Amino acid sequence: MASVYGFRCLTHTLRVSRVSSKAMGRAYLAISQTATQQQVRSISTSNHKYCKKGLPSLTLFTKEDCSLCDDAKDILRKYDGRFVLDEVYIDKPENKKAFALYRYDIPVFHFNGQYLMKHRVDEELLEGRLQEEEKKA
């Protein structure tokens, strides 16, 4: 099951977590194990529609005991209140497809359901995407 944190819209996080665990499983089933990252356009579900309008979703593909993932989460705290963070633990049995895709690349980040970056947080890239979303809102 995915863990969900709603930085700015805490009242909606339970609904997001219920939806994401089921929807994410369906999304993974649609992905072939041989798919490459370039072929994967959207394996994470866009959770932002369940929260306040304009609050984007950042999905973090992670696993237990991942120091790069811990570093990434520390950096993401700077952006508190600007997105909903959805953590998907690829080492869980229900996330086998994500494990097949990302086992050597975590952390991997999807922004509103689209691949954004991997290994480390590119703060310039993330800030740019957040600003684009904030302009739309």
Side-chain angles (χ1 to χ4, degrees):
M1 176 183 271
S3 299
V4 176
Y5 301 97
F7 291 109
R8 190 166 65 191
C9 80
L10 191 57
T11 58
H12 297 272
T13 57
L14 291 175
R15 187 175 345 150
V16 173
S17 65
R18 284 189 208 113
V19 171
S20 66
S21 63
K22 292 177 184 172
M24 293 294 281
R26 284 195 300 272
Y28 296 144
L29 292 175
I31 299 169
S32 130
Q33 284 188 328
T34 59
T36 64
Q37 285 184 351
Q38 290 78 21
Q39 293 169 323
V40 177
R41 291 270 182 217
S42 178
I43 71 166
S44 64
T45 303
S46 182
N47 293 329
H48 66 283
K49 65 185 176 182
Y50 299 104
C51 211
K52 290 181 183 177
K53 185 175 180 175
L55 189 62
S57 164
L58 184 70
T59 304
L60 168 61
F61 293 88
T62 185
K63 68 178 183 176
E64 295 294 328
D65 300 320
C66 171
S67 61
L68 286 177
C69 301
D70 294 338
D71 294 344
K73 290 179 210 176
D74 289 340
I75 292 169
L76 293 176
R77 285 188 181 96
K78 294 185 217 176
Y79 301 93
D80 186 23
R82 297 179 67 190
F83 56 83
V84 174
L85 179 63
D86 182 9
E87 293 181 53
V88 177
Y89 286 85
I90 66 168
D91 50 353
K92 301 281 183 187
E94 63 268 19
N95 296 327
K96 288 179 184 178
K97 300 292 181 180
F99 179 80
L101 287 171
Y102 297 135
R103 67 179 161 205
Y104 301 117
D105 291 321
I106 62 166
V108 175
F109 304 86
H110 284 202
F111 188 83
N112 284 344
Q114 299 288 321
Y115 172 81
L116 180 65
M117 58 192 162
K118 65 181 178 179
H119 300 157
R120 302 212 185 275
V121 175
D122 181 339
E123 291 188 68
E124 191 174 303
L125 177 62
L126 179 60
E127 182 63 38
R129 292 296 298 272
L130 288 169
Q131 288 181 4
E132 286 175 19
E133 285 296 313
E134 289 165 355
K135 286 179 186 177
K136 291 179 188 177

